[in-house]
Amino acid sequence: MTEPHFPGDGSRRFAGLSTGSRDFVARHAVWNDQQRAAAEDLERRLGELDLVRVVFGDPHGLARSKTLTVSAFRSVLRNGMDYSPGPFIFDTGHNVAVDFFAAGGGLGIPELTGAGDFIVVPDPSTFRVLPHTAGARVGWVIGDEYLRSGQPHPLSGRAVLREVCARLAHRDLDGVVGLEVEWYLTKVLPGDVAAQVGGFGVQGEAPAVAPVNGGYQFNLDAFTHALGPILEPLAAALTTLGLPLRTMEHESGPGQLEFTFDPLEALAAADAMLLFRTVTKQITAQHGYHASFMALPGLRNFDPSGWHLHQSLAYRSSGRNAFAAEGRLLSELGEHYLAGLLSHAAETAMLAVPTVNGFRRLSDEFSLSPDRVVWTVENRGSLLRVLGGDGDAGTHVENRIGEPCANPYLYIASQISAGLAGIDAATPLDAAATDPHSADAPALPTTLGDALELFRKSELLRGVLGDALTECLHQLKTSEWQRFRAWQDAVGADSTHTVSDWEQREYFAIY
């Protein structure tokens, strides 16, 4: 019996013309030697797979993907993959915020006008096989965004962070980042799926969930043990994927968890955060739970969650911690780095706290969340705290401002850039604060609207992000902020002290 075929398709000789731009990877030399070697190894493994998911992080820090057959992916490894600019156009509520069809809608880049496709090239060094798929053997790989000219896409957060890391490398430095992430696990309840259907700029109802416990017994072993049926397979999957999971613990809120990871190089840390959040939501959903990285879900008596970013610099040539110094808390370089973080804290806040909801943490209502631009030694109420000191090889700075759903590439890039600005300017470090919430200290922005204004005026961030990404982020976040304010006006809601229904619908499901 002969196999069915389409006329003229016996050899699939045109398959390589179906995606991307012919020989894009080689023509534009977008891979280094390590990536080329990883690609060769990956091609040898493709026979073991059924599908490959190519992913990139959008401006909101969400993973966007296409799933390819293995034969299509072989072509993508040479040609790259065409991708629609939709992820750069829609705000968090899927409202069209950046109009690429308007005059000048290309954000100053002609190739973007008209919403044409761009090219995504897999980074073979990020390839993993997902351990939690339903039956098919599925690979997962992070891609880099490019213009057809071969230039990195000006709206790519990963390209921004890679450039920041290159600046460090020229100084014989690496960025070292430790992830400490809080998030919520809830149990999904039966509900009306139709109610969860939204539209362009109008989110549907948030998933109906129940707390998994009563909370407010910090680090209680009984709570952690009771969640073992979901935490154990999650931990196994994360370690199988190569993520350096270090600890899991139950925090204060009902079902509030904290995961920490071993320190990683900055770009690897951002990739790990993208993978961690994505896989955590997928695996918990398979077990009937809902994971949310929303800072403060609109559920009764829930406590806010943060993403505390531990950071330092290390000398590439020796691996030695550049912040450590004998007989003092921080090296001179470390002091200038810390001073740079303080100097630029307010203007970089929008990249660490990019949602309406996230600013609810930055209030004196929550003593363990920062609200002032200060630093301390160890004090958990401050924006920045120094851990280690006096020759300790692990000396580093922790920034406690971030919310768990922040874009990892932009958050980390903004932190390193602020620190480097302090180093370049030899910015002196003021004395540590005695009261992290003192009214005499400069205040952090208290709303997304305030943070957005400071962000747009920042010369530092415009220099790091470029004009196009700065303007794109401003339009995306302005749309989000204006929709929230319009909702407040329409319903007459004063949600100053409580999480609004708008926030719960906007963030709880997608983040």
Side-chain angles (χ1 to χ4, degrees), residues 371-398:
D371 63 343
R372 299 284 163 173
V373 182
V374 298
W375 77 277
T376 63
V377 179
E378 292 283 359
N379 193 315
R380 279 185 162 80
S382 63
L383 170 67
L384 298 162
R385 67 181 190 131
V386 177
L387 294 90
D390 195 5
D392 187 336
T395 298
H396 66 277
V397 175
E398 175 192 6

mmCIF file of all heavy atoms in Angstrom, residues 371-398:
data_model
loop_
_atom_site.group_PDB
_atom_site.id
_atom_site.type_symbol
_atom_site.label_atom_id
_atom_site.label_comp_id
_atom_site.label_asym_id
_atom_site.label_seq_id
_atom_site.Cartn_x
_atom_site.Cartn_y
_atom_site.Cartn_z
ATOM 1 N N ASP A 371 9.212 51.449 51.000
ATOM 2 C CA ASP A 371 8.487 52.618 50.517
ATOM 3 C C ASP A 371 9.392 53.852 50.435
ATOM 4 O O ASP A 371 8.965 54.900 49.968
ATOM 5 C CB ASP A 371 7.258 52.917 51.383
ATOM 6 C CG ASP A 371 7.615 53.262 52.822
ATOM 7 O OD1 ASP A 371 8.750 52.965 53.256
ATOM 8 O OD2 ASP A 371 6.752 53.833 53.513
ATOM 9 N N ARG A 372 10.654 53.714 50.865
ATOM 10 C CA ARG A 372 11.607 54.827 50.868
ATOM 11 C C ARG A 372 12.918 54.405 50.193
ATOM 12 O O ARG A 372 13.277 53.228 50.195
ATOM 13 C CB ARG A 372 11.894 55.274 52.307
ATOM 14 C CG ARG A 372 10.656 55.761 53.054
ATOM 15 C CD ARG A 372 10.253 57.140 52.617
ATOM 16 N NE ARG A 372 8.886 57.462 53.019
ATOM 17 C CZ ARG A 372 8.329 58.667 52.870
ATOM 18 N NH1 ARG A 372 9.047 59.656 52.346
ATOM 19 N NH2 ARG A 372 7.095 58.877 53.234
ATOM 20 N N VAL A 373 13.617 55.380 49.651
ATOM 21 C CA VAL A 373 14.887 55.110 48.974
ATOM 22 C C VAL A 373 15.999 55.145 50.016
ATOM 23 O O VAL A 373 16.617 56.190 50.272
ATOM 24 C CB VAL A 373 15.144 56.136 47.850
ATOM 25 C CG1 VAL A 373 16.455 55.813 47.126
ATOM 26 C CG2 VAL A 373 13.983 56.150 46.864
ATOM 27 N N VAL A 374 16.229 53.998 50.643
ATOM 28 C CA VAL A 374 17.245 53.892 51.698
ATOM 29 C C VAL A 374 17.941 52.551 51.578
ATOM 30 O O VAL A 374 17.455 51.623 50.924
ATOM 31 C CB VAL A 374 16.622 54.017 53.108
ATOM 32 C CG1 VAL A 374 15.965 55.372 53.305
ATOM 33 C CG2 VAL A 374 15.615 52.891 53.353
ATOM 34 N N TRP A 375 19.090 52.438 52.250
ATOM 35 C CA TRP A 375 19.763 51.149 52.356
ATOM 36 C C TRP A 375 20.115 50.885 53.808
ATOM 37 O O TRP A 375 20.231 51.811 54.625
ATOM 38 C CB TRP A 375 21.015 51.113 51.477
ATOM 39 C CG TRP A 375 22.217 51.845 52.014
ATOM 40 C CD1 TRP A 375 22.468 53.184 51.908
ATOM 41 C CD2 TRP A 375 23.312 51.284 52.755
ATOM 42 N NE1 TRP A 375 23.654 53.498 52.527
ATOM 43 C CE2 TRP A 375 24.199 52.356 53.048
ATOM 44 C CE3 TRP A 375 23.629 50.001 53.191
ATOM 45 C CZ2 TRP A 375 25.388 52.158 53.760
ATOM 46 C CZ3 TRP A 375 24.806 49.806 53.902
ATOM 47 C CH2 TRP A 375 25.673 50.878 54.167
ATOM 48 N N THR A 376 20.255 49.615 54.133
ATOM 49 C CA THR A 376 20.602 49.207 55.487
ATOM 50 C C THR A 376 21.482 47.963 55.407
ATOM 51 O O THR A 376 21.691 47.388 54.331
ATOM 52 C CB THR A 376 19.359 48.850 56.329
ATOM 53 O OG1 THR A 376 18.714 47.717 55.727
ATOM 54 C CG2 THR A 376 18.380 50.014 56.410
ATOM 55 N N VAL A 377 21.960 47.553 56.539
ATOM 56 C CA VAL A 377 22.616 46.252 56.658
ATOM 57 C C VAL A 377 21.588 45.293 57.243
ATOM 58 O O VAL A 377 21.149 45.471 58.380
ATOM 59 C CB VAL A 377 23.862 46.334 57.560
ATOM 60 C CG1 VAL A 377 24.519 44.962 57.687
ATOM 61 C CG2 VAL A 377 24.847 47.351 57.008
ATOM 62 N N GLU A 378 21.146 44.356 56.449
ATOM 63 C CA GLU A 378 20.261 43.261 56.866
ATOM 64 C C GLU A 378 18.784 43.643 57.078
ATOM 65 O O GLU A 378 17.931 42.781 57.049
ATOM 66 C CB GLU A 378 20.789 42.587 58.141
ATOM 67 C CG GLU A 378 22.084 41.822 57.950
ATOM 68 C CD GLU A 378 21.900 40.483 57.262
ATOM 69 O OE1 GLU A 378 20.766 40.116 56.937
ATOM 70 O OE2 GLU A 378 22.913 39.797 57.042
ATOM 71 N N ASN A 379 18.436 44.890 57.307
ATOM 72 C CA ASN A 379 17.065 45.258 57.673
ATOM 73 C C ASN A 379 16.098 44.963 56.530
ATOM 74 O O ASN A 379 16.204 45.545 55.444
ATOM 75 C CB ASN A 379 17.001 46.744 58.046
ATOM 76 C CG ASN A 379 15.695 47.106 58.715
ATOM 77 O OD1 ASN A 379 14.618 46.717 58.273
ATOM 78 N ND2 ASN A 379 15.785 47.864 59.801
ATOM 79 N N ARG A 380 15.134 44.094 56.776
ATOM 80 C CA ARG A 380 14.209 43.660 55.729
ATOM 81 C C ARG A 380 13.160 44.707 55.366
ATOM 82 O O ARG A 380 12.381 44.506 54.430
ATOM 83 C CB ARG A 380 13.515 42.370 56.159
ATOM 84 C CG ARG A 380 14.346 41.131 55.935
ATOM 85 C CD ARG A 380 13.577 39.873 56.273
ATOM 86 N NE ARG A 380 14.188 38.684 55.676
ATOM 87 C CZ ARG A 380 15.226 38.051 56.173
ATOM 88 N NH1 ARG A 380 15.773 38.475 57.311
ATOM 89 N NH2 ARG A 380 15.729 36.994 55.562
ATOM 90 N N GLY A 381 13.096 45.791 56.091
ATOM 91 C CA GLY A 381 12.130 46.827 55.748
ATOM 92 C C GLY A 381 12.650 47.817 54.725
ATOM 93 O O GLY A 381 11.889 48.661 54.250
ATOM 94 N N SER A 382 13.930 47.723 54.366
ATOM 95 C CA SER A 382 14.523 48.734 53.491
ATOM 96 C C SER A 382 14.446 48.321 52.034
ATOM 97 O O SER A 382 14.288 47.141 51.698
ATOM 98 C CB SER A 382 15.978 48.981 53.889
ATOM 99 O OG SER A 382 16.741 47.809 53.709
ATOM 100 N N LEU A 383 14.603 49.300 51.160
ATOM 101 C CA LEU A 383 14.651 49.043 49.728
ATOM 102 C C LEU A 383 15.847 48.160 49.384
ATOM 103 O O LEU A 383 15.717 47.158 48.677
ATOM 104 C CB LEU A 383 14.748 50.383 48.975
ATOM 105 C CG LEU A 383 15.047 50.302 47.479
ATOM 106 C CD1 LEU A 383 13.885 49.677 46.729
ATOM 107 C CD2 LEU A 383 15.371 51.690 46.914
ATOM 108 N N LEU A 384 17.005 48.555 49.869
ATOM 109 C CA LEU A 384 18.248 47.834 49.581
ATOM 110 C C LEU A 384 18.899 47.418 50.883
ATOM 111 O O LEU A 384 18.996 48.216 51.815
ATOM 112 C CB LEU A 384 19.209 48.731 48.789
ATOM 113 C CG LEU A 384 18.709 49.180 47.414
ATOM 114 C CD1 LEU A 384 19.500 50.377 46.931
ATOM 115 C CD2 LEU A 384 18.807 48.045 46.410
ATOM 116 N N ARG A 385 19.342 46.191 50.951
ATOM 117 C CA ARG A 385 20.069 45.756 52.142
ATOM 118 C C ARG A 385 21.319 45.000 51.718
ATOM 119 O O ARG A 385 21.328 44.285 50.713
ATOM 120 C CB ARG A 385 19.196 44.936 53.083
ATOM 121 C CG ARG A 385 18.744 43.596 52.587
ATOM 122 C CD ARG A 385 17.865 42.907 53.636
ATOM 123 N NE ARG A 385 17.615 41.508 53.284
ATOM 124 C CZ ARG A 385 17.762 40.485 54.113
ATOM 125 N NH1 ARG A 385 18.156 40.684 55.357
ATOM 126 N NH2 ARG A 385 17.505 39.258 53.715
ATOM 127 N N VAL A 386 22.360 45.185 52.494
ATOM 128 C CA VAL A 386 23.631 44.532 52.220
ATOM 129 C C VAL A 386 23.741 43.289 53.094
ATOM 130 O O VAL A 386 23.508 43.358 54.302
ATOM 131 C CB VAL A 386 24.811 45.484 52.480
ATOM 132 C CG1 VAL A 386 26.139 44.760 52.263
ATOM 133 C CG2 VAL A 386 24.719 46.705 51.562
ATOM 134 N N LEU A 387 24.092 42.180 52.481
ATOM 135 C CA LEU A 387 24.299 40.930 53.210
ATOM 136 C C LEU A 387 25.762 40.517 53.064
ATOM 137 O O LEU A 387 26.343 40.636 51.992
ATOM 138 C CB LEU A 387 23.395 39.830 52.664
ATOM 139 C CG LEU A 387 21.884 40.044 52.869
ATOM 140 C CD1 LEU A 387 21.274 40.805 51.705
ATOM 141 C CD2 LEU A 387 21.167 38.711 53.017
ATOM 142 N N GLY A 388 26.349 40.044 54.134
ATOM 143 C CA GLY A 388 27.751 39.639 54.130
ATOM 144 C C GLY A 388 28.615 40.729 54.735
ATOM 145 O O GLY A 388 28.314 41.269 55.791
ATOM 146 N N GLY A 389 29.701 41.059 54.049
ATOM 147 C CA GLY A 389 30.594 42.096 54.537
ATOM 148 C C GLY A 389 31.872 41.541 55.132
ATOM 149 O O GLY A 389 31.981 40.349 55.446
ATOM 150 N N ASP A 390 32.870 42.427 55.264
ATOM 151 C CA ASP A 390 34.175 42.117 55.862
ATOM 152 C C ASP A 390 34.792 40.847 55.285
ATOM 153 O O ASP A 390 35.055 39.876 55.982
ATOM 154 C CB ASP A 390 34.052 42.003 57.382
ATOM 155 C CG ASP A 390 35.422 42.043 58.071
ATOM 156 O OD1 ASP A 390 36.434 42.263 57.372
ATOM 157 O OD2 ASP A 390 35.478 41.853 59.299
ATOM 158 N N GLY A 391 35.017 40.877 53.979
ATOM 159 C CA GLY A 391 35.703 39.776 53.327
ATOM 160 C C GLY A 391 34.863 38.579 52.988
ATOM 161 O O GLY A 391 35.369 37.606 52.412
ATOM 162 N N ASP A 392 33.589 38.593 53.336
ATOM 163 C CA ASP A 392 32.706 37.469 53.037
ATOM 164 C C ASP A 392 32.594 37.316 51.516
ATOM 165 O O ASP A 392 32.199 38.242 50.813
ATOM 166 C CB ASP A 392 31.328 37.727 53.652
ATOM 167 C CG ASP A 392 30.399 36.533 53.536
ATOM 168 O OD1 ASP A 392 30.589 35.698 52.635
ATOM 169 O OD2 ASP A 392 29.460 36.439 54.350
ATOM 170 N N ALA A 393 32.926 36.125 51.002
ATOM 171 C CA ALA A 393 32.906 35.890 49.557
ATOM 172 C C ALA A 393 31.504 35.967 48.974
ATOM 173 O O ALA A 393 31.333 36.098 47.758
ATOM 174 C CB ALA A 393 33.514 34.522 49.244
ATOM 175 N N GLY A 394 30.485 35.893 49.827
ATOM 176 C CA GLY A 394 29.109 35.971 49.348
ATOM 177 C C GLY A 394 28.481 37.338 49.498
ATOM 178 O O GLY A 394 27.257 37.485 49.338
ATOM 179 N N THR A 395 29.269 38.361 49.793
ATOM 180 C CA THR A 395 28.725 39.710 49.988
ATOM 181 C C THR A 395 27.956 40.169 48.758
ATOM 182 O O THR A 395 28.442 40.075 47.625
ATOM 183 C CB THR A 395 29.866 40.699 50.281
ATOM 184 O OG1 THR A 395 30.513 40.310 51.494
ATOM 185 C CG2 THR A 395 29.343 42.118 50.426
ATOM 186 N N HIS A 396 26.737 40.681 48.991
ATOM 187 C CA HIS A 396 25.938 41.156 47.869
ATOM 188 C C HIS A 396 24.864 42.117 48.358
ATOM 189 O O HIS A 396 24.685 42.322 49.567
ATOM 190 C CB HIS A 396 25.302 39.983 47.119
ATOM 191 C CG HIS A 396 24.276 39.224 47.914
ATOM 192 N ND1 HIS A 396 24.600 38.236 48.818
ATOM 193 C CD2 HIS A 396 22.920 39.307 47.940
ATOM 194 C CE1 HIS A 396 23.498 37.729 49.349
ATOM 195 N NE2 HIS A 396 22.455 38.381 48.833
ATOM 196 N N VAL A 397 24.151 42.689 47.399
ATOM 197 C CA VAL A 397 23.058 43.626 47.678
ATOM 198 C C VAL A 397 21.747 42.965 47.299
ATOM 199 O O VAL A 397 21.644 42.314 46.254
ATOM 200 C CB VAL A 397 23.240 44.934 46.875
ATOM 201 C CG1 VAL A 397 22.045 45.856 47.072
ATOM 202 C CG2 VAL A 397 24.534 45.628 47.270
ATOM 203 N N GLU A 398 20.746 43.132 48.136
ATOM 204 C CA GLU A 398 19.399 42.650 47.838
ATOM 205 C C GLU A 398 18.488 43.844 47.611
ATOM 206 O O GLU A 398 18.398 44.732 48.461
ATOM 207 C CB GLU A 398 18.854 41.809 48.996
ATOM 208 C CG GLU A 398 17.405 41.372 48.800
ATOM 209 C CD GLU A 398 16.784 40.787 50.051
ATOM 210 O OE1 GLU A 398 17.431 40.814 51.118
ATOM 211 O OE2 GLU A 398 15.633 40.319 49.981
#
